[in-house]
């Protein structure tokens, strides 16, 4: 009688443990695949991407960010993003960073300094992760708009020259 009671009960418990273990492995594999997809999406994104902490320090950047600005990951992680902003844009950036923290979303255009001293004009779109109404992290996509800004300036100059020519001819 003890064998007839113990073996079926232990077999049922063992089956449940094995089924739970199989489910655990399946979920672990799905999580690993999801992490790999996210990492590929993050690293292969066509635009520079950065994550900032609540004080504006860089937590993470993608490969495109590093390639665009010429820094290594070790040179930027933990530093304030404001350190990479051109001096002419720092004041505006500080104010916009505060608005990003309070509103949860911000758009701006600013100049970022490359490691080699060059400048890149970027369109900066940031969103924050809010926890209990408080900003914990900012997730930012940067787009290089240097050529667009240069073309706009050239178009304004051409328009100004044409206007001056037209005024001269009208006299």
């Amino acid at each position: 009688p003890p064998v007839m009671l113990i073996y079926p009960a232990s077999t049922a418990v063992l089956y449940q443990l094995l089924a739970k273990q199989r489910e655990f492995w399946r979920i672990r594999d799905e999580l690993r695949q999801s992490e790999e997809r996210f990492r590929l999406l993050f690293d292969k994104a066509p635009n520079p991407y950065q994550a900032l902490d609540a004080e504006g320090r860089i937590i993470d950047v993608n490969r495109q960010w590093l390639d665009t600005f010429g820094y290594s990951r070790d040179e930027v992680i933990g530093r304030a993003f404001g350190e990479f902003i051109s001096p002419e844009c720092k004041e505006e950036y500080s104010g916009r960073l505060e608005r990003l923290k309070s509103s949860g979303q911000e758009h701006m255009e600013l100049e970022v300094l490359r490691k080699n001293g060059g400048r890149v004009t970027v369109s900066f779109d940031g969103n924050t992760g809010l926890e209990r109404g408080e900003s914990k992290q900012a997730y930012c996509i940067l787009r290089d708009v240097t050529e667009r800004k240069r073309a706009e300036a050239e178009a304004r100059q051409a328009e100004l020259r044409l206007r001056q020519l037209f005024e001269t001819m009208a006299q």
Side-chain angles (χ1 to χ4, degrees), residues 129-166:
L130 296 175
E131 206 171 283
R132 291 187 212 111
E134 188 176 316
S135 173
K136 293 295 181 188
Q137 288 185 1
Y139 308 99
C140 312
I141 295 175
L142 309 170
R143 288 176 196 83
D144 184 347
V145 294
T146 307
E147 290 304 316
R148 186 195 78 192
K149 291 299 231 179
R150 186 174 298 133
E152 287 173 356
E154 288 173 4
R156 281 192 300 275
Q157 287 296 325
E159 181 183 351
L160 181 61
R161 283 193 303 270
L162 285 172
R163 191 173 286 150
Q164 290 172 343
L165 179 63
F166 180 74

Side-chain angles (χ1 to χ4, degrees), residues 7 16 34 39 69 74 84 88 96 120 143 146 160:
Y7 282 125
Q16 287 182 344
S34 176
R39 182 51 59 187
F69 304 119
D74 292 337
F84 300 95
E88 299 84 9
R96 297 283 188 115
V120 180
R143 288 176 196 83
T146 307
L160 181 61

